Amino acid sequence: MTEVAILGYGVVGSGTVEVLEKNAARISKNAGQRVNVKSILEIRDFPDSPHKDKFVKTFEEIENDDDISVVAEVIGGVDLALDYTRRCLKAGKSVVTSNKEIVAKHGYELLKLAGENGVNYLFEASVGGGIPVVRPIAQCISANRINEIYGILNGTTNYILSEMTKKGTEFEDALKDAQQKGYAEADPTADIEGHDACRKICILSSLAFGHHIYPEQVPTRGITAITAEDMNFAAELGYKIKLLGRSRAIGDKVAAYVGPHLISQDNLLSHVDGVMNGVVIRGNAVGDVMFYGAGAGKLPTASAVAADIIDAVKHRYARKLIGWGEGGEEYAADPMQLESAWYIRTNVDREKVRREFGDVIFAEGAFDTKSTIAFKTGYMSGNIIKDLIDREIPALSLFRILGDY
Amino acid sequence: MTEVAILGYGVVGSGTVEVLEKNAARISKNAGQRVNVKSILEIRDFPDSPHKDKFVKTFEEIENDDDISVVAEVIGGVDLALDYTRRCLKAGKSVVTSNKEIVAKHGYELLKLAGENGVNYLFEASVGGGIPVVRPIAQCISANRINEIYGILNGTTNYILSEMTKKGTEFEDALKDAQQKGYAEADPTADIEGHDACRKICILSSLAFGHHIYPEQVPTRGITAITAEDMNFAAELGYKIKLLGRSRAIGDKVAAYVGPHLISQDNLLSHVDGVMNGVVIRGNAVGDVMFYGAGAGKLPTASAVAADIIDAVKHRYARKLIGWGEGGEEYAADPMQLESAWYIRTNVDREKVRREFGDVIFAEGAFDTKSTIAFKTGYMSGNIIKDLIDREIPALSLFRILGDY
């Protein structure tokens, strides 16, 4: 039997306890032994919980308990979580986490620390909720050189954009609707400004390309500037607008960024709607592979935490080879050098656009804004498009179009 | 360094050698050591191949070579492949394969034999080409009870159906087109009659539910009876027609079958077009997770074979826990007891349909066959619908509609 501890009894923590209990038989079978939750660290009281005897108020009770060999850190945030994770690893306990912020910011350090202490640090639940994506990158596609990763990594923003597409509403209204339905938090900044997607593309990039990419190395734009008119123009041109995290190897460097993209309706990713996530890996042998499912939610995320617990139990004496090397300033390439086609919404006249961009494809006539037009350009780098925009064609919106670039 | 042998230098065999060579650096890193192809069994001559020194003409040269610890069986078929696989396992060599027929028919026996000899038998490439699906079921979703698996498992039939949908052509014309383009074989029986999909759902079922399901336990219908008119009616009702393999746990038993389904255009799987595959796993915690990618092809399939080779190298002395128990006659449940909504195309009149089925939704008016109508029923089991059809409403087409059942 393996004794585990859960740090934090919020949504994911309580879900993890629920999954471990509900699927105990299958989990015992897959782990090769019984997995028992011995302690739950939580400052709140749960006097009516069937697990009330397991709650402890101080981290030290878990840190000093030699019976506990696997700890699930599902506190969130960085300060406490980082301190506890370090101390667990140093105490010879494997740690599994759903905390994307800590993995994106401190993954390299914590993976190294786990290695030094002969234990595992696993984080399947930190990207894509319950969708298996971390382990497939590390293992299943291990015979491929990965050229690119991109995906819809945040369910809240995808819900908002899907609603805007479906109902023609503006961003603010769709956000309010998402908040009422519980898909967006009262303070939605981390989601709508793209920070959450940024953390996830950091983790995926680090894993796929071998060295740590940090959030501050990833230019990030959210969805707040997207208008109902953009959605309409995009549809007219045959596209949907989605927030993507993307990352691409360029020589020995990696260029990663987060921003809105137009995706052709021929691309399966454009049909990933609502709160769902979809992650595409482009390997040099396998081509494009996509993983799809609920990117958040209590039980989906808990199921990934529980799968990592099983893995930590099975690999107690044989470390999993999931991790990456040190990053650095030099490692991050500027995504502005990447070429793509672009979507531009502007109120300058067609003839001027034609002089600058040649024979581009126009969409027009949405709503009552007859003076606004949208068009798509040929392939050009971010630097060139920025120069053109700054100089001649003031853009109301400027988004990349997803394609082979 | 690990020495491997390749049995068969056809499409997948030569692709495997290519991937092992092209991605040697990454593969060495992931396997923890260099992986070298020492021998290739092939009766044909390849005098101009850069690998010509590696070709051997008799299996015994590989069987008796103690340097070789991993063998990739990519011959296909059963007779020779089964004999060679058994002998490799008995000789203490791990075997990896892309051969779905052998895994579907003899998986239990070969997995047992591998266990008895302390080696691995791995088969990621046997389902979904390069898409990681076998390992995610075994590992990543290990904390879930899996309730159901379904998917588009055959690229040839999916290409044919996609073309029929897009161009309005009849089956025979779409098949000819697929043959001309190299997506269908000269003898397309195994694909179009559903046998290939049947083998794959056998493998997925066995893995997900724990005991061997054999092809003869899986009622199988292919796509030959689907008409352009069906496609049209389905579109009018909001659906696409796809060939699915499906498998569901019913108590301690498993009901599996293969057949055409109508899929709502709200379901992501309906947008999996062309030669692509999509496999959906429904777990009791994670919900629906989908894996998508090229289900066949030289390099995608080879990349899965190579990933298994890496895994066999890494786990030479620690067996992977991928496998299942014995099956049996009692283990297979009859899929006819499963309820679903149904699509029926018929030439009896509306009033008669209404008397039998109530207020169903009609589609009509396709082409010149004004006397034909299509409708969808409420939920009912296969047994009940069959009885109704036999008794009162002769059906020109009868397909299940995918939904929660």
Side-chain angles (χ1 to χ4, degrees):
Chain A
M1 189 172 78
T2 294
E3 301 281 13
V4 310
I6 314 285
L7 307 184
Y9 198 66
V11 172
V12 180
S14 60
T16 301
V17 174
E18 185 179 332
V19 168
L20 289 174
E21 224 165 55
K22 187 159 83 172
N23 294 339
R26 184 167 169 92
I27 288 169
S28 292
K29 188 173 162 239
N30 287 330
Q33 56 190 287
R34 205 157 83 75
V35 174
N36 182 57
V37 176
K38 185 174 180 190
S39 308
I40 302 168
L41 178 67
E42 177 59 58
I43 42 170
R44 290 172 295 168
D45 281 314
F46 291 89
D48 300 328
S49 165
H51 309 292
K52 62 174 184 291
D53 297 339
K54 301 185 173 184
F55 285 91
V56 300
K57 298 269 182 202
T58 67
F59 171 67
E60 288 71 21
E61 290 173 72
I62 289 166
E63 184 182 27
N64 298 326
D65 187 337
D66 289 339
D67 290 349
I68 293 170
S69 56
V70 178
V71 176
E73 182 274 295
V74 286
I75 305 173
V78 163
D79 300 343
L80 262 188
L82 182 59
D83 179 43
Y84 291 172
T85 300
R86 284 181 182 142
R87 286 161 67 183
C88 284
L89 295 172
K90 284 182 190 161
K93 301 176 198 308
S94 288
V95 176
V96 310
T97 187
S98 60
N99 186 332
K100 50 227 156 202
E101 192 178 354
I102 204 173
V103 181
K105 289 182 180 166
H106 302 278
Y108 169 69
E109 176 210 325
L110 295 172
L111 286 159
K112 191 159 165 269
L113 192 59
E116 288 164 3
N117 289 279
V119 292
N120 287 295
Y121 184 56
L122 303 172
F123 46 90
E124 179 66 69
S126 68
V127 184
I131 312 169
V133 53
V134 169
R135 212 175 272 95
I137 293 178
Q139 298 188 310
C140 310
I141 315 175
S142 55
N144 282 258
R145 186 160 50 72
I146 296 176
N147 294 325
E148 183 174 346
I149 294 187
Y150 60 92
I152 296 170
L153 303 173
N154 179 274
T156 302
T157 47
N158 201 45
Y159 175 82
I160 292 170
L161 296 177
S162 299
E163 289 294 296
M164 288 174 70
T165 302
K166 210 163 54 186
K167 301 188 180 148
T169 47
E170 290 291 351
F171 169 75
E172 289 299 339
D173 298 321
L175 171 60
K176 265 180 221 143
D177 168 62
Q179 285 173 318
Q180 272 159 15
K181 293 214 169 90
Y183 295 143
E185 294 179 44
D187 176 359
T189 313
D191 292 320
I192 64 175
E193 297 295 351
H195 304 316
D196 178 77
C198 171
R199 289 164 191 155
K200 290 166 177 170
I201 198 67
C202 285
I203 297 171
L204 293 175
S205 300
S206 303
L207 191 66
F209 300 120
H211 294 276
H212 200 129
I213 284 282
Y214 293 91
E216 60 269 25
Q217 296 177 313
V218 179
T220 297
R221 284 176 63 199
I223 64 166
T224 56
I226 303 171
T227 66
E229 196 182 23
D230 286 320
M231 290 296 190
N232 233 40
F233 279 144
E236 245 183 90
L237 293 165
Y239 297 90
K240 285 202 206 164
I241 302 181
K242 299 284 187 185
L243 183 69
L244 298 187
R246 295 182 81 180
S247 180
R248 191 187 173 199
I250 302 180
D252 292 335
K253 300 188 177 196
V254 168
Y257 68 97
V258 173
H261 284 73
L262 271 67
I263 309 184
S264 160
Q265 299 195 18
D266 293 339
N267 186 319
L268 189 65
L269 199 62
S270 75
H271 300 285
V272 172
D273 287 327
V275 295
M276 305 307 272
N277 283 194
V279 181
V280 178
I281 320 271
R282 181 170 294 173
N284 73 335
V286 74
D288 280 8
V289 171
M290 185 171 114
F291 303 91
Y292 164 85
K298 180 176 178 166
L299 292 186
T301 307
S303 97
V305 173
D308 272 352
I309 291 175
I310 293 172
D311 232 19
V313 170
K314 276 165 65 177
H315 290 83
R316 188 162 172 191
Y317 304 106
R319 289 194 61 242
K320 299 280 294 181
L321 290 172
I322 290 184
W324 53 77
E326 201 163 5
E329 226 172 280
E330 292 297 298
Y331 182 57
D334 182 4
M336 287 293 275
Q337 71 188 277
L338 296 175
E339 292 193 347
S340 64
W342 298 81
Y343 161 91
I344 297 175
R345 181 168 60 92
T346 182
N347 50 18
V348 306
D349 71 70
R350 276 172 175 251
E351 278 320 303
K352 189 159 184 195
V353 169
R354 279 223 175 79
R355 277 199 303 277
E356 290 296 334
F357 288 96
D359 198 16
V360 293
I361 298 160
F362 285 88
E364 65 183 330
F367 317 127
D368 52 347
T369 55
K370 295 285 182 216
S371 62
T372 320
I373 56 168
F375 62 96
K376 52 184 206 177
T377 73
Y379 273 52
M380 52 190 79
S381 76
N383 291 317
I384 288 175
I385 195 88
K386 193 170 172 306
D387 182 56
L388 276 166
I389 294 294
D390 287 349
R391 200 160 36 81
E392 295 287 353
I393 311 278
L396 300 168
S397 295
L398 172 66
F399 308 131
R400 283 187 192 262
I401 299 176
L402 183 69
D404 292 324
Y405 68 116
Chain B
M1 189 173 77
T2 295
E3 301 280 13
V4 310
I6 314 284
L7 307 184
Y9 198 67
V11 172
V12 180
S14 60
T16 301
V17 174
E18 184 179 333
V19 168
L20 289 174
E21 224 165 54
K22 186 160 82 171
N23 295 339
R26 184 167 170 92
I27 288 169
S28 293
K29 188 174 161 237
N30 287 330
Q33 56 191 286
R34 205 157 84 75
V35 174
N36 182 57
V37 176
K38 186 174 180 190
S39 307
I40 302 168
L41 178 67
E42 176 60 59
I43 43 172
R44 292 172 295 169
D45 280 316
F46 290 90
D48 299 329
S49 165
H51 308 292
K52 61 175 185 292
D53 298 339
K54 302 184 174 185
F55 285 91
V56 300
K57 298 270 182 202
T58 68
F59 172 67
E60 288 69 21
E61 289 173 73
I62 288 167
E63 184 181 27
N64 298 326
D65 186 338
D66 290 338
D67 290 348
I68 292 170
S69 56
V70 179
V71 175
E73 181 274 295
V74 286
I75 305 172
V78 163
D79 300 344
L80 261 188
L82 181 59
D83 179 42
Y84 291 170
T85 300
R86 284 181 182 143
R87 285 162 67 183
C88 284
L89 295 172
K90 284 182 190 162
K93 302 176 198 307
S94 287
V95 175
V96 310
T97 187
S98 61
N99 184 333
K100 49 227 157 204
E101 191 177 354
I102 203 173
V103 181
K105 289 181 181 165
H106 302 278
Y108 169 68
E109 176 209 326
L110 295 172
L111 286 159
K112 190 158 166 271
L113 192 60
E116 288 163 3
N117 289 280
V119 293
N120 287 295
Y121 183 56
L122 302 173
F123 46 89
E124 179 66 70
S126 68
V127 184
I131 312 169
V133 53
V134 169
R135 213 175 273 95
I137 293 179
Q139 298 188 311
C140 310
I141 315 176
S142 56
N144 282 257
R145 186 159 51 72
I146 297 176
N147 294 325
E148 182 172 347
I149 294 186
Y150 60 92
I152 295 169
L153 303 172
N154 179 275
T156 302
T157 47
N158 202 44
Y159 176 83
I160 292 170
L161 296 178
S162 299
E163 289 294 296
M164 287 174 70
T165 301
K166 208 163 56 184
K167 301 189 181 150
T169 46
E170 291 290 351
F171 169 76
E172 289 299 339
D173 298 322
L175 170 61
K176 263 179 223 144
D177 169 61
Q179 285 172 318
Q180 271 159 16
K181 293 214 168 91
Y183 295 143
E185 294 179 46
D187 175 359
T189 313
D191 292 319
I192 64 175
E193 297 294 351
H195 304 316
D196 179 75
C198 171
R199 288 164 192 155
K200 290 166 177 169
I201 198 67
C202 285
I203 297 171
L204 293 174
S205 301
S206 303
L207 192 66
F209 300 119
H211 293 276
H212 200 128
I213 284 281
Y214 293 91
E216 59 269 27
Q217 296 176 313
V218 179
T220 296
R221 284 176 63 199
I223 63 166
T224 54
I226 302 171
T227 65
E229 196 183 22
D230 286 319
M231 291 295 191
N232 232 40
F233 278 145
E236 247 183 90
L237 294 166
Y239 296 89
K240 285 201 206 162
I241 302 180
K242 299 284 188 186
L243 183 69
L244 298 186
R246 295 183 80 180
S247 179
R248 191 187 174 201
I250 302 181
D252 292 335
K253 301 188 177 195
V254 168
Y257 67 98
V258 173
H261 284 74
L262 271 67
I263 309 183
S264 159
Q265 299 194 16
D266 292 339
N267 186 318
L268 190 65
L269 199 62
S270 76
H271 300 284
V272 172
D273 287 327
V275 295
M276 305 306 272
N277 284 193
V279 181
V280 178
I281 320 271
R282 179 170 295 174
N284 73 334
V286 74
D288 280 8
V289 171
M290 186 171 113
F291 304 91
Y292 163 86
K298 180 175 177 166
L299 292 187
T301 307
S303 97
V305 172
D308 273 352
I309 291 175
I310 292 173
D311 232 18
V313 170
K314 277 165 65 177
H315 290 84
R316 187 161 173 193
Y317 303 106
R319 291 192 62 242
K320 299 280 295 180
L321 290 171
I322 290 183
W324 53 77
E326 202 162 5
E329 226 171 281
E330 293 297 299
Y331 181 58
D334 181 3
M336 287 293 274
Q337 70 187 277
L338 296 175
E339 291 193 346
S340 65
W342 299 80
Y343 160 92
I344 298 175
R345 181 168 60 92
T346 182
N347 51 17
V348 306
D349 72 70
R350 276 169 174 253
E351 279 319 305
K352 190 159 182 192
V353 169
R354 278 222 175 80
R355 275 199 305 277
E356 290 295 336
F357 288 96
D359 197 17
V360 293
I361 300 161
F362 287 87
E364 65 182 329
F367 317 126
D368 53 346
T369 56
K370 295 286 182 215
S371 61
T372 320
I373 57 168
F375 62 95
K376 53 184 204 177
T377 73
Y379 273 54
M380 51 190 78
S381 75
N383 291 317
I384 288 176
I385 195 87
K386 192 169 175 306
D387 182 57
L388 275 166
I389 294 295
D390 287 351
R391 201 160 37 81
E392 295 287 352
I393 312 278
L396 299 167
S397 296
L398 171 67
F399 307 132
R400 283 187 192 263
I401 299 177
L402 184 69
D404 293 324
Y405 69 113

